[in-house]
């Protein structure tokens, strides 16, 4: 992989209208929003299906989270495919695979362990086609348009989560869990067909562009070696590693605390259904924060506000130590969600820190690491809650996020924008390893 940097874009502020005017991005944006809705529908419905079959809360929780943790392993073992295979077939194939898995769960009555295995296997491949899609967005949008493209994806993701939760409950009530899974499969199929029909056929990277040799991704062993080596080279770059951790850690702890809201509502004896309102406050805050920060602030200002916004993500959660009621809890969660817009200030520096021919794998690793750590965070905070109560565990998560902001402050002073690496400064090991390439196969 050969490090490159995007040309500086100055203070130009793009608009959402400009971003949505790009047909390729519009297609990827729309299909991803529909797929996220289908994801939430599938995850919640599968959890209901397992609970109705077993009556076991731990197995129901496992059904909810089984698609998260394996994604990091999938990215590490298969992530290089995001840069080696043609994106149209890879993205459409990913949606088709999730469609087939949802149909299998809906139509075939199998042991719970087997159904969990089906979901886990599909999740291994998920980071690959997500990485290919993110790479395609980065190649389609330039400068601040790329940051706003990520903002639109965040907004769509928050809205799709809310829609998926509502649609999941209504569909399960009307059709039952198995037919609801089949409805989710139809949504995935629509995404696959839209990508296959509307996205132009784009070539895979040529061997010279990826630094490999012909056939470097042509066998399972070659793919695994190239993926592990590529991930290692990315994580050895200090700038990339720091920017990944800055995007992973706050989200992991806040999402983990969100997983405690059902139990918190039960401990505080809130009226039935209020837990859903609390769980919806974070994505609503995310949606509003992304709109405000993405639309109103210039690129350098977004980058200067990274640390304050991370602090805003964590500090409201500390208020849960006082075990507040529904109204105060909702306000605290909304404020925390607003802080999620900190990620917009990291997008341009992160993109410019990546080697151009390894972007697909980098986005695969970024997304898979985030999803996996969210699952791990939920498990860890659940164990903490057993010892100190859910309010204390949520407050502790907020405190850890605030400490993360302090750590980022040590290498990213808010008085100036995040540095944009160039060819000579992009890697801490640049003097020892000027050119990165996968091993010859």
């Amino acid at each position: 992989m050969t490090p490159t940097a995007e040309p500086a874009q100055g203070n130009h502020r793009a608009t959402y209208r400009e971003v949505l005017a790009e047909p390729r991005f519009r297609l990827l944006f729309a299909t991803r929003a529909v797929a996220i809705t289908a994801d939430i529908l599938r995850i919640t419905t599968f959890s209901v299906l397992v609970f109705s079959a077993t009556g076991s809360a731990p197995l129901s929780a496992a059904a909810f989270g089984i698609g998260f943790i394996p994604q990091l392993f999938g990215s590490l073992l298969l992530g290089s495919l995001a840069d080696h295979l043609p994106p149209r077939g890879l993205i459409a194939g990913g949606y088709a695979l999730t469609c087939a898995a949802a149909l299998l769960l809906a139509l075939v009555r199998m042991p719970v362990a087997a159904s969990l295995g089906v979901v886990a296997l599909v999740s291994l491949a998920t980071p690959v086609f997500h990485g290919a899609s993110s790479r395609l967005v980065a190649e389609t949008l330039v400068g601040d348009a790329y940051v706003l493209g990520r903002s639109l994806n965040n907004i769509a993701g928050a809205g799709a989560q809310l829609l998926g939760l509502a649609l999941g409950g209504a569909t399960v009530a009307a059709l039952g869990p198995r037919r609801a899974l089949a409805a989710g499969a139809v949504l995935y199929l629509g995404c696959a067909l839209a990508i296959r029909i509307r996205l132009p056929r784009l070539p895979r990277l040529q061997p010279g562009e990826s630094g490999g040799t012909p056939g470097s991704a042509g066998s399972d062993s070659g793919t695994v070696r190239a993926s592990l080596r590529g991930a290692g080279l990315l994580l050895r770059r200090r700038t990339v590693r720091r920017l990944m951790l800055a995007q992973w850690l706050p989200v992991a702890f806040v999402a983990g605390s969100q997983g405690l809201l059902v139990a918190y509502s039960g401990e505080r004896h809130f009226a039935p259904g209020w837990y859903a309102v609390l769980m919806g406050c974070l994505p609503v805050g995310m949606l509003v924060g992304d709109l405000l920060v993405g639309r109103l602030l210039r690129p350098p200002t977004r980058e200067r506000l990274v640390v304050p916004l991370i602090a805003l993500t964590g500090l409201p959660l500390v208020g849960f130590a006082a075990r507040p009621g529904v109204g105060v809890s909702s306000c605290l969660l909304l404020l925390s969600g607003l802080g999620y817009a900190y990620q917009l200030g990291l997008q341009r520096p992160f993109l410019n820190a990546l080697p151009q021919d390894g972007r697909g794998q980098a986005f695969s690793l970024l997304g898979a690491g985030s999803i996996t750590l969210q699952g791990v965070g939920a498990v860890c905070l659940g164990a903490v809650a057993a010892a100190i109560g859910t309010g204390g565990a949520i407050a502790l998560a907020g405190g850890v996020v605030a400490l993360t902001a302090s750590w980022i402050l040590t290498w990213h002073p808010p008085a100036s924008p995040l540095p944009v690496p160039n060819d000579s400064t992009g890697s801490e090991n640049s003097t020892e390893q000027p050119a990165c390439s996968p091993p010859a196969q």
Side-chain angles (χ1 to χ4, degrees):
M1 293 182 284
T2 305
T4 61
E6 293 290 330
Q9 297 297 322
N11 293 339
H12 170 69
R13 184 173 62 194
T15 66
Y16 288 121
R17 185 190 298 264
E18 293 173 12
V19 174
L20 288 172
E22 170 53 53
R24 187 183 300 174
F25 171 77
R26 197 163 58 239
L27 173 64
L28 294 169
F29 167 76
T31 51
R32 187 70 198 118
V34 172
I36 291 173
T37 303
D39 286 342
I40 300 300
L41 173 61
R42 175 180 57 83
I43 290 168
T44 55
T45 303
F46 181 51
S47 181
V48 170
L49 184 64
V50 169
F51 184 77
S52 64
T54 65
S56 169
L59 282 177
S60 178
F64 188 88
I66 192 64
F68 296 159
I69 294 177
Q71 290 198 29
L72 181 58
F73 299 100
S75 177
L76 291 173
L77 298 176
L78 305 173
S80 66
L81 294 176
D83 291 305
H84 285 95
L85 296 181
R88 184 178 71 173
L90 194 56
I91 299 169
Y95 289 139
L97 180 64
T98 50
C99 170
L103 276 179
L104 187 64
L105 295 172
L107 301 178
V108 179
R109 297 183 181 273
M110 62 183 82
V112 170
S115 62
L116 292 174
V118 168
V119 176
L121 284 175
V122 171
S123 72
L124 287 174
T126 298
V128 179
F129 68 88
H130 284 179
S133 178
S134 296
R135 174 172 71 89
L136 203 51
V137 170
E139 292 171 356
T140 301
L141 302 176
V142 179
D144 194 47
Y146 169 73
V147 178
L148 286 198
R150 298 285 294 194
S151 172
L152 280 171
N153 281 332
N154 292 343
I155 292 168
Q161 287 182 50
L162 295 172
L163 178 60
L165 287 169
L167 186 62
T171 307
V172 169
L175 304 177
R178 292 191 180 276
R179 289 181 179 177
L181 281 171
V186 172
L187 295 179
Y188 288 125
L189 179 61
C191 293
L193 291 175
I195 292 293
R196 181 65 181 82
I197 295 169
R198 299 293 301 278
L199 187 67
R201 181 174 176 81
L202 302 170
R204 72 182 74 191
L205 287 177
Q206 297 303 312
E209 293 177 295
S210 64
T213 60
S216 62
S219 66
D220 292 340
S221 60
T223 296
V224 171
R225 286 199 299 271
S227 298
L228 290 173
R229 180 171 173 82
L233 292 173
L234 284 167
L235 293 175
R236 282 201 294 272
R237 296 166 65 85
R238 181 169 54 188
T239 302
V240 173
R241 187 171 65 246
R242 283 176 167 178
L243 290 170
M244 279 193 174
L245 286 171
Q247 293 174 82
W248 283 343
L249 295 178
V251 175
F253 284 100
V254 175
S257 66
Q258 187 181 26
L260 296 176
L261 292 177
V262 173
Y264 180 79
S265 298
E267 283 185 6
R268 299 287 287 118
H269 304 292
F270 294 159
W274 272 106
Y275 75 88
V277 174
L278 294 181
M279 292 185 73
C281 286
L282 270 174
V284 169
M286 290 167 55
L287 190 153
V288 174
D290 266 85
L291 277 174
L292 293 176
V293 174
R295 185 67 187 91
L296 301 180
L297 302 182
R298 293 188 176 277
T301 306
R302 296 189 205 117
E303 293 172 17
R304 291 188 183 99
L305 288 178
V306 166
V307 171
L309 286 172
I310 291 177
L312 178 61
T313 302
L315 289 177
L317 298 181
V318 176
F320 276 84
R323 294 169 55 83
V326 169
V328 175
S329 296
S330 299
C331 292
L332 292 175
L333 291 166
L334 281 169
L335 285 173
S336 178
L338 289 173
Y340 265 67
Y342 84 89
Q343 296 193 53
L344 298 184
L346 298 176
Q347 298 308 313
R348 184 179 68 95
F350 181 70
L351 179 64
N352 289 334
L354 300 178
Q356 187 172 12
D357 51 8
R359 285 177 174 179
Q361 182 167 12
F363 289 126
S364 168
L365 185 59
L366 177 68
S370 178
I371 290 294
T372 298
L373 287 177
Q374 287 179 50
V376 172
V379 171
C380 292
L381 287 175
V384 171
I388 65 174
T390 55
I394 294 172
L396 179 63
V400 173
V401 173
L403 289 176
T404 302
S406 301
W407 166 68
I408 294 173
L409 186 61
T410 64
W411 54 270
H412 167 40
S416 60
L418 279 165
V420 179
N422 56 37
D423 288 349
S424 62
T425 63
S427 170
E428 62 182 348
N429 299 322
S430 58
T431 56
E432 301 175 11
Q433 203 166 6
C436 306
S437 61
Q441 303 301 318

